[in-house]
Amino acid sequence: MGNILEIKNLVCGYVEKEIIKQVSFSAKEGEFLGIIGPNGSGKTTLLRSITGLLKYWEGEVLYNGRNISKIPLREFAQNVAVLPQILNINFSFTVQQLVLMGRYPYLKKFQSISKKDLDIAKNSMSLTDISHLTERRVGELSGGEWQRVLIAQALTQEPKLLLLDEPTTHLDITHQIETLDLIKKLNKEKNLTIIVVLHDLNMASEYCEKIIMLENGEIYREGTPEEVLTYKNIEEVYKTIVVVIENPVSKKPHVVLIPGKEGTNEKRTHTNLHG
Amino acid sequence: MKLNKIILFISLTISLIVAAILCLTFGASKIGLYDTVYTLLHPGSENIFQSIIWQIRFPRIIFAIIVGAGLAATGCIFQGLLRNPLADPYTLGTSGGAAFGVTLCVVTGLLKSGILYMPIFAFLGAFVSILLVYEIASMKRFSISTLILGGVVLNFLFSSFVLFIFSIMQTENVHSTILWLMGDLSSARIELIKIISSVVILGIILLSLFSRELDILTLGEEKATYLGMDTENVRKIFFIIASIIVGACVSVSGIIGFVGLLIPHLMRKITGPVHAVLIPASALAGAIFLTICDTLARTIIAPIELPVGVITGIFGSLVFLSFLIKSKKWEIF
């Protein structure tokens, strides 16, 4: 299996501020890749430059070997779907209308929605288990349902690569698990390559095959959850004391937070906890 | 299209025709329904109503229909572009710009040298203000808050210029300018009826054709780009067409408030937010609304004519207010 996405020496940022500094990594076809890092480490910026929304300053982003700046927007959208972190809609479209918008990159000017488009949308809705919500309007959806609608819309683009920016923020644990289970299912069943920015280290640990840990716009560590999610790496990057244990069921690393005590000497706590 | 949509369009069209014909009967001299229809169907016949119907009331009602449709349709566009259901065609400083243009026209004496100067100045004022706001916003990566705030500030600026000019202007001119600012169809020039109608109707058709793009844009620039849309170009097309329509409406009618805000808002509750349906439905509803309002303005305290903007203002804000109070949870969306 080849690399579906390859990022070489990427440098980018906003106006004058350089945010991503010399980042290189690649995603294999069918891989489930997570990007983690503290606030301001450049996760969202990295995602935005991978999608071409933000023009990068230096380096290259290759999709299946082609430079993304050379791929027309529509063609790109037929291959790569993106779920931004925040998506507010002030207009009450129905679920089906929203999901059908995923066909936009395929429709020529003035071409109307065909039976085939509708079938694809219906299929995405059943995959994401929202078929019963077809005629529901945006404002009437719960957070978890809304997230599934957005995923269904993305699937309707029939992408090979799905990029998600913190899809579980604002969701309770049930819906966090539900959303990530769904993404995992799509990854396995449709061989959809996933690149997901995650806040929650344990979610990243449970679901991702490979994790990229960012610090100040650079890759601090890259590898399997076991390799990246060590207490040393986390304490170094997040400046927070943690203990990493093993999840008794999945055997994946599990990060446990240690609340800071006033006046506690950091160094001492460190030794106490980790022997 | 689904059956209920077809029924909606047919009933809106019929309502418009009925409203227009009924409104033709009202005026300083009451003309019976039979005589009105007869005169309409026999434009060449010689009867006493000929000139009243064809030369006075008919053009006036056509203007009301065109301006109402134009304002309501552009209201949909600006609400969609700004992703804000409370935007209206004047959000981007149009009213201030047009008022400034007209005041300039009056103060420089151009008004007296040719009847077409006033609409041209109004159009230019409206158009230039939208371009200015657009330019300001594009410096800021086109944030919606910059657009809205830019519009508000520019409106203030232009209105202050207008007030400045008023305060040093001769009083006779002030009165007619104020009437115009309140939105008034009585001074609409019959000479302009063809050009304004074609601009507005063509504009609304174009906007409806691009409506899918507008649906996608309501998801925000970022998501629209991810769906493969060249948002910058699409946005520009919408802004230019909508600005031309607003400019055309303002040039013949002054600043008629609330049509562009209220009508798309009400129609969205009936048709849903899909613009392919919403834009034409709002245009029809706007036409009906303004035709009725303008007839009220002509007749309510006859022989004095009110500026129609006063009627739409009162009517519109009362409807909006009842909305605000009645609905259990305030769903502006």
Side-chain angles (χ1 to χ4, degrees):
Chain A
M1 269 189 283
N3 286 336
I4 191 165
L5 193 75
E6 217 169 318
I7 285 131
K8 293 179 183 165
N9 305 318
L10 188 76
V11 179
C12 74
Y14 301 103
V15 198
E16 277 148 30
K17 195 161 186 282
E18 183 179 287
I19 306 226
I20 297 295
K21 305 151 189 162
Q22 295 288 339
V23 164
S24 303
F25 69 92
S26 58
K28 287 196 191 69
E29 214 181 310
E31 196 164 38
F32 198 123
L33 189 136
I35 299 173
I36 59 171
N39 290 339
S41 58
K43 302 183 296 284
T44 298
T45 311
L46 178 60
L47 208 71
R48 284 185 171 164
S49 60
I50 296 173
T51 59
L53 188 76
L54 196 66
K55 298 272 171 292
Y56 44 85
W57 300 349
E58 284 169 39
E60 276 184 318
V61 178
L62 302 175
Y63 174 78
N64 275 332
R66 276 171 78 193
N67 199 318
I68 59 153
S69 56
K70 301 264 169 14
I71 305 177
L73 276 174
R74 269 171 192 270
E75 194 190 332
F76 191 73
Q78 292 173 7
N79 289 282
V80 182
V82 189
L83 254 67
Q85 194 178 113
I86 302 162
L87 185 60
N88 293 323
I89 300 190
N90 294 339
F91 298 99
S92 53
F93 290 101
T94 64
V95 166
Q96 177 163 304
Q97 285 163 352
L98 268 173
V99 174
L100 268 170
M101 288 183 191
R103 293 312 287 166
Y104 180 76
Y106 293 89
L107 296 171
K108 296 192 186 73
K109 273 247 148 28
F110 311 132
Q111 189 189 344
S112 52
I113 302 272
S114 69
K115 175 86 173 48
K116 186 188 158 216
D117 295 318
L118 197 61
D119 286 343
I120 292 167
K122 284 195 169 142
N123 189 33
S124 320
M125 288 191 280
S126 79
L127 268 171
T128 49
D129 198 20
I130 53 167
S131 299
H132 58 293
L133 301 174
T134 316
E135 290 305 317
R136 201 75 85 71
R137 297 199 174 268
V138 169
E140 304 160 357
L141 299 171
S142 71
E145 288 168 340
W146 177 227
Q147 202 56 257
R148 280 186 286 155
V149 170
L150 294 179
I151 293 172
Q153 187 189 58
L155 287 181
T156 308
Q157 291 171 247
E158 300 188 298
K160 320 275 183 301
L161 171 63
L162 178 60
L163 302 167
L164 307 102
D165 194 354
E166 293 190 20
T168 54
T169 324
H170 310 307
L171 297 181
D172 60 35
I173 48 168
T174 318
H175 291 110
Q176 288 185 22
I177 293 282
E178 187 189 274
T179 304
L180 284 167
D181 277 346
L182 171 63
I183 297 170
K184 189 88 197 174
K185 182 178 96 173
L186 299 169
N187 170 249
K188 288 280 162 261
E189 288 176 9
K190 308 200 85 175
N191 197 32
L192 184 64
T193 311
I194 307 284
I195 298 180
V196 56
V197 169
L198 284 171
H199 229 49
D200 189 316
L201 301 179
N202 291 323
M203 292 292 174
S205 171
E206 296 300 327
Y207 288 94
C208 302
E209 294 163 66
K210 186 166 106 180
I211 294 179
I212 287 168
M213 188 185 242
L214 285 182
E215 189 200 22
N216 292 326
E218 285 171 282
I219 295 183
Y220 181 83
R221 282 287 182 281
E222 178 183 350
T224 60
E226 289 78 7
E227 288 163 353
V228 176
L229 296 173
T230 63
Y231 80 89
K232 268 193 181 147
N233 289 342
I234 296 170
E235 289 183 1
E236 185 64 39
V237 170
Y238 286 83
K239 314 281 182 255
T240 303
I241 311 292
V242 296
V243 177
V244 177
I245 56 173
E246 192 185 79
N247 179 322
V249 179
S250 68
K251 309 292 176 206
K252 300 272 187 184
H254 187 86
V255 181
V256 180
L257 299 174
I258 310 298
K261 288 192 193 91
E262 219 174 311
T264 317
N265 181 315
E266 243 184 48
K267 263 275 174 297
R268 210 193 68 221
T269 320
H270 219 127
T271 17
N272 281 354
L273 287 170
H274 303 295
Chain B
M1 210 186 305
K2 283 180 200 152
L3 188 65
N4 54 0
K5 302 272 158 65
I6 297 172
I7 294 172
L8 175 76
F9 278 114
I10 291 175
S11 44
L12 279 173
T13 313
I14 293 174
S15 312
L16 177 59
I17 294 169
V18 170
I21 292 174
L22 283 180
C23 289
L24 277 173
T25 68
F26 289 105
S29 58
K30 180 110 172 78
I31 303 175
L33 188 58
Y34 173 80
D35 289 327
T36 308
V37 176
Y38 182 86
T39 314
L40 276 178
L41 294 176
H42 302 85
S45 71
E46 294 203 4
N47 72 36
I48 42 165
F49 307 124
Q50 211 41 252
S51 66
I52 299 179
I53 296 278
W54 279 107
Q55 281 164 32
I56 300 174
R57 291 187 195 167
F58 187 74
R60 175 85 178 250
I61 280 181
I62 293 295
F63 270 128
I65 289 174
I66 292 297
V67 171
L71 290 178
T74 47
C76 300
I77 305 301
F78 284 116
Q79 291 177 2
L81 284 177
L82 300 175
R83 306 180 67 205
N84 186 336
L86 291 179
D88 75 6
Y90 308 134
T91 307
L92 301 185
T94 330
S95 47
F100 183 59
V102 166
T103 316
L104 268 188
C105 178
V106 173
V107 85
T108 52
L110 278 171
L111 181 64
K112 294 199 175 74
S113 43
I115 49 159
L116 291 184
Y117 278 111
M118 182 137 144
I120 290 174
F121 268 69
F123 178 83
L124 287 179
F127 199 69
V128 165
S129 72
I130 295 186
L131 287 187
L132 273 177
V133 175
Y134 191 93
E135 280 305 310
I136 294 168
S138 58
M139 282 185 252
K140 295 280 166 199
R141 306 180 75 239
F142 223 85
S143 83
I144 285 173
S145 49
T146 315
L147 264 178
I148 295 178
L149 289 178
V152 169
V153 168
L154 223 63
N155 240 340
F156 261 113
L157 184 68
F158 280 132
S159 307
S160 307
F161 283 148
V162 169
L163 289 177
F164 169 72
I165 295 173
F166 272 5
S167 55
I168 56 170
M169 208 158 75
Q170 286 163 320
T171 39
E172 41 163 339
N173 291 333
V174 173
H175 184 72
S176 65
T177 319
I178 286 181
L179 271 186
W180 184 90
L181 287 182
M182 287 191 279
D184 184 19
L185 282 166
S186 64
S187 53
R189 291 289 168 184
I190 298 172
E191 297 88 333
L192 290 171
I193 204 161
K194 279 198 182 124
I195 176 144
I196 298 292
S197 312
S198 5
V199 166
V200 172
I201 291 173
L202 198 72
I204 293 175
I205 292 174
L206 276 176
L207 291 174
S208 308
L209 287 177
F210 283 107
S211 63
R212 182 157 58 212
E213 269 70 15
L214 193 56
D215 291 344
I216 305 277
L217 262 182
T218 61
L219 304 181
E221 296 272 308
E222 188 174 2
K223 188 69 201 186
T225 310
Y226 292 151
L227 284 169
M229 183 192 286
D230 180 355
T231 52
E232 202 181 316
N233 275 331
V234 170
R235 200 176 52 211
K236 247 182 217 156
I237 292 172
F238 276 116
F239 265 103
I240 291 171
I241 300 176
S243 312
I244 291 174
I245 298 179
V246 178
C249 291
V250 164
S251 75
V252 289
S253 69
I255 314 294
I256 299 179
F258 261 103
V259 182
L261 169 62
L262 183 73
I263 299 294
H265 212 77
L266 287 177
M267 290 318 285
R268 204 176 279 117
K269 294 210 176 287
I270 300 170
T271 66
V274 175
H275 288 95
V277 182
L278 180 64
I279 295 172
S282 298
L284 285 170
I288 298 170
F289 179 70
L290 199 60
T291 305
I292 296 172
C293 284
D294 188 49
T295 305
L296 282 176
R298 283 192 293 129
T299 55
I300 205 164
I301 51 164
I304 300 173
E305 273 196 26
L306 287 174
V308 66
V310 173
I311 305 284
T312 59
I314 294 172
F315 204 63
S317 31
L318 286 181
V319 171
F320 221 83
L321 209 59
S322 70
F323 234 48
L324 190 75
I325 295 165
K326 255 194 195 161
S327 56
K328 282 188 206 80
K329 52 178 182 172
W330 172 229
E331 284 180 58
I332 50 170
F333 309 135

